[in-house]
Amino acid sequence: RLDIFAGVRDVAKFGEMEGVQVVKADMGSDAPVLTSVLKDFDRVYIVTPGHIDRTQLALNAIRAAKAAGVQFVLQLSVLTTETDTIFGRQFQPVETEIKKSGLSYATVRLPLFIDNYYANAQAIKEQSTFYDPRDTSKPHTPVAVSDAGKASADILANPSKFAGKTFNLVMPSFTLADAAAAFTKTLGKNVTATTVPYPAAKEAFMGMGFPEWQVDGILELFKMSDEENPIMDYKSSGMSDIQMITGEKPLTVEQWVEANKAGFA
């Protein structure tokens, strides 16, 4: 049996979650404060936030974990860490720091979440379409939040099995046309992918409240898909990292849409 805690910046805002105890653990707090919090725990999952200063926040957490004597750290990173991109430049120092820290660790590299389709839920419900600037015929590789969560939990439950390794947590790649076909089949109506210009997509993201640096980072990934960068069409020669960790294959786009159809019907 494992005791699970969520370390959050604002306990009141987080609320409650079944089976999880909440503690205040702000990666932006002074080093002694964060170190003091982490001394009570033997394993820590550093979920790097979507903040413009997230590089420094993650470095703070790694250093605090080391000072606190944490036995194992799972570090969240991105698929593009080894590229000269906005997100890659943010995470390169983080992966370097965890490797040289002397801590027992593992790294999980994530792409964008397929769950981001919920941003198009209203359009799919009311207009039977979703909007995206990418080429509808070019593959991309997201991951389901549920699969990333399962894999991360399994690593934390058995850290000695995974220590010192880096894992790419991805689902089978698919095109926007594939996604439209999955929604069409599951919802019983014709759903299409509508291509919009990149400037319009940027305006829409910022209208949803995303900061400009993050929007630019997301659109940079979209353009990598258009350019058929192999990172955006990740293929494993054998068993996927998710299956290797959890024993279960990651969800396909068809399975994810079926599991989430109530949100789009």
Side-chain angles (χ1 to χ4, degrees), residues 77-80 108-114 116 140-144 148 168-171 221 231-232 234 242:
S77 188
V78 294
L79 280 183
T80 52
V108 287
R109 290 178 173 175
L110 273 61
L112 296 174
F113 292 120
I114 189 174
N116 292 336
H140 61 287
T141 305
V143 71
N168 297 310
L169 304 186
V170 299
M171 68 195 306
L221 297 180
I231 294 176
M232 295 295 104
Y234 186 83
I242 288 177

Side-chain angles (χ1 to χ4, degrees), residues 65-86:
K66 181 175 177 61
V70 171
Q71 297 174 21
F72 179 81
V73 171
L74 180 59
Q75 176 63 54
L76 183 145
S77 188
V78 294
L79 280 183
T80 52
T81 294
E82 297 175 22
T83 65
D84 185 21
T85 57
I86 292 170

